[in-house]
Amino acid sequence: GLGGPMDFGRSKSKFQEVPETGVTFLDVAGADQAKLELQEVVDFLKNPDKYTALGAKIPKGCLLVGPPGTGKTLLARAVAGEAGVPFFSCAASEFVELFVGVGASRVRDLFEKAKAKAPCIVFIDEIDAVGRQRGAGLGGGNDEREQTINQLLTEMDGFAGNSGVIVLAATNRPDVLDSALLRPGRFDRQVTVDRPDVAGRVKILEVHSRGKALAKDVDFEKIARRTPGFTGADLQNLMNEAAILAARRDLKEISKDEISDALERIIAGPEKKNAVVSEEKKKLVAYHGNYLLAMNSEEVLKVAEEVIFGRENVTTGASNDFMQVSRVARQMVERFGFSKKIGQVAIGGPGGNPFLGQQMSSQKDYSMATADVVDAEVRELVERAYSRATQIITTHIDILHKLAQLLMEKETVDGEEFMSLFIDGQAELFVA
Ligand code: ADP
């Protein structure tokens, strides 16, 4: 029954309890890093004594961070499945209702049940719905939300690390979370779950083709290439739509045509338009690549884009870099004594740390004449860096092309692959 108004304090269960999820890490394709990190949580649940015997406090909470549909819920279920423990789950948004106090009592209720079934996993989806920085809301505080989050903190502080309850919470916005949630003893661990790259998408397609009749002409590699930006949920949806199309066409098997048609429909759909990165965009990104940046003088990249695409096609990504370069150059002159003319003195007001990308103070305490010298010195520094970058790129354009090609194929390139692009001594030039 729905319960009368006197009933709301005695929360209706707003959580699900699953004794055995039956999900394992094998059901989660790709996401290798996340699985590796969560394997530790599985071990905490399975062998708590191993840790407590050494006096270790077992973590209570772990945040799963990533966009919707990337498999955070699936991973949480897999942790419970791997450890063979019950799975309690709820969406934080459901905690918060019209009546003040309901959310808090639901949280209390959830943890009461969970503690009775320990060891177990408690999974809280969309934690940002209640976990936003308190007092940051529009139009004053939100009592209900604050009470809910306070209750959650009380619960987490209340049980010992070795009580066998481990709380996993999912969010796409770790940046807006109340810092109290992230303190030691609460959600002090984070596991990132990203959108899958090409190889990951192939594996996910394989998982979601299990139990489906596929024609021989279906090539996962090709589908994966056509679906950059797709999450696991998107790919699952794609395969399901293709199966529905095949049934509607009275086919016995799903062929590449059904998958193509389903894909077209999904991409043409209103929300998914942005999910797929166009080839053109991919190429720009590949050339812009922060990969060279990581190993080499910053300048190389911005110029790379210009050399390849022409000045008029330089992206905002690159113009941001230009701004960054100018800012760093200014700091070099004003604060770090890189200019002979200005000398080894720090001039100008206190600025932010340029390496943390902080805003520089615009307040200057030197004369107009000095300002002119500073400007000229900054310009010269930037121009020198720019021409050196142009020179490096033109000399080694073949390496850049190879790297871009690899990036377009694979979307990610690891350090070893990166280094393999360099033949013999060439690497020195870049690493120097
Ligand atoms: P999230 O919690 O991140 O929003 P879900 O775990 O709810 O995402 O994912 C929705 C569905 O998408 C899953 O049930 C699963 O079928 C599919 N899916 C997502 N990621 C993967 C993956 N890495 N491997 C296999 N299936 C996935």
Side-chain angles (χ1 to χ4, degrees):
L2 284 171
M6 301 309 290
D7 224 17
F8 57 74
R10 303 238 39 102
S11 56
K12 303 268 134 302
S13 299
K14 275 288 183 179
F15 60 86
Q16 279 98 46
E17 178 184 349
V18 183
E20 269 176 60
T21 64
V23 178
T24 72
F25 283 145
L26 283 178
D27 299 301
V28 189
D32 294 334
Q33 185 59 33
K35 283 194 271 188
L36 197 72
E37 289 170 39
L38 288 170
Q39 181 61 50
E40 205 179 22
V41 177
V42 173
D43 203 46
F44 291 147
L45 290 164
K46 278 170 94 169
N47 309 302
D49 299 344
K50 193 169 94 186
Y51 298 89
T52 45
L54 289 166
K57 280 208 185 82
I58 291 176
K60 299 174 184 176
C62 172
L63 218 50
L64 303 175
V65 178
T70 47
K72 297 182 294 298
T73 310
L74 187 66
L75 275 163
R77 297 173 73 92
V79 169
E82 292 277 343
V85 303
F87 181 73
F88 291 82
S89 69
C90 62
S93 58
E94 291 185 4
F95 279 147
V96 185
E97 294 204 354
L98 219 48
F99 304 106
V100 172
V102 178
S105 90
R106 282 182 178 156
V107 170
R108 213 176 303 127
D109 190 26
L110 166 62
F111 278 90
E112 209 170 281
K113 301 272 170 19
K115 279 185 281 190
K117 294 280 171 68
C120 68
I121 285 287
V122 170
F123 175 66
I124 304 174
D125 205 0
E126 314 161 25
I127 185 135
D128 39 291
V130 290
R132 279 174 187 261
Q133 194 69 40
R134 279 168 292 183
L138 291 172
N142 179 333
D143 285 348
E144 171 59 353
R145 213 166 46 81
E146 288 191 13
Q147 283 194 16
T148 307
I149 180 179
N150 285 340
Q151 187 62 39
L152 180 61
L153 296 177
T154 304
E155 294 291 345
M156 287 188 78
D157 293 345
F159 62 79
N162 52 10
S163 71
V165 180
I166 294 186
V167 189
L168 302 178
T171 182
N172 191 24
R173 296 295 311 273
D175 54 314
V176 302
L177 289 184
D178 195 314
S179 51
L181 278 169
L182 309 177
R183 288 210 192 108
R186 295 169 179 172
F187 295 98
D188 50 9
R189 297 188 165 218
Q190 286 198 16
V191 171
T192 306
V193 192
D194 271 328
R195 290 174 198 274
D197 62 6
V198 170
R201 295 198 295 276
V202 170
K203 288 184 200 150
I204 293 172
L205 285 164
E206 279 164 8
V207 166
H208 289 287
S209 301
R210 280 187 210 148
K212 290 195 174 71
L214 288 188
K216 285 210 174 57
D217 68 0
V218 174
D219 181 343
F220 289 144
E221 193 70 38
K222 280 197 185 134
I223 305 169
R225 263 181 217 305
R226 289 180 60 190
T227 48
F230 270 46
T231 62
D234 294 332
L235 293 167
Q236 178 191 28
N237 180 41
L238 171 65
M239 292 313 290
N240 193 53
E241 289 293 319
I244 289 172
L245 265 184
R248 208 180 296 148
R249 290 172 185 175
D250 289 325
L251 300 171
K252 293 265 177 307
E253 289 177 327
I254 305 163
S255 80
K256 73 174 194 316
D257 293 339
E258 281 70 51
I259 295 174
S260 272
D261 293 349
L263 184 57
E264 233 152 73
R265 221 197 282 173
I266 290 170
I267 294 172
E271 329 115 37
K272 276 286 124 54
K273 266 201 189 107
N274 301 325
V276 177
V277 184
S278 74
E279 280 297 297
E280 195 63 15
K281 175 100 187 289
K282 227 165 132 181
K283 199 165 170 185
L284 268 171
V285 172
Y287 275 105
H288 179 71
N290 292 297
Y291 313 88
L292 279 171
L293 181 78
M295 308 203 56
N296 179 31
S297 56
E298 278 208 9
E299 316 85 81
V300 173
L301 314 162
K302 305 100 202 182
V303 188
E305 255 185 61
E306 202 175 297
V307 172
I308 308 284
F309 295 100
R311 198 173 263 271
E312 63 279 9
N313 288 328
V314 171
T315 58
T316 48
S319 73
N320 285 342
D321 292 341
F322 274 123
M323 268 159 63
Q324 181 76 5
V325 169
S326 310
R327 203 161 60 206
V328 172
R330 184 163 291 278
Q331 292 267 3
M332 285 166 75
V333 172
E334 286 185 344
R335 307 187 60 76
F336 303 127
F338 271 80
S339 155
K340 280 216 182 73
K341 285 195 190 129
I342 297 296
Q344 309 257 9
V345 288
I347 57 172
N353 183 336
F355 302 109
L356 297 177
Q358 286 166 3
Q359 208 59 38
M360 256 198 54
S361 156
S362 57
Q363 156 212 345
K364 303 213 163 49
D365 59 8
Y366 47 73
S367 71
M368 291 298 282
T370 309
D372 286 343
V373 179
V374 168
D375 285 348
E377 289 291 278
V378 168
R379 201 170 315 122
E380 202 198 308
L381 257 182
V382 171
E383 269 163 20
R384 221 187 310 144
Y386 187 80
S387 77
R388 175 161 157 69
T390 313
Q391 185 201 336
I392 293 177
I393 286 169
T394 350
T395 321
H396 299 281
I397 195 89
D398 51 325
I399 294 178
L400 188 66
H401 281 310
K402 272 193 247 165
L403 176 62
Q405 187 62 37
L406 203 60
L407 278 170
M408 293 199 40
E409 267 165 36
K410 301 188 48 183
E411 291 171 21
T412 48
V413 169
D414 63 30
E416 218 167 281
E417 290 166 323
F418 180 82
M419 291 314 290
S420 75
L421 292 172
F422 299 92
I423 321 141
D424 303 328
Q426 280 183 321
E428 284 164 36
L429 229 174
F430 278 86
V431 180

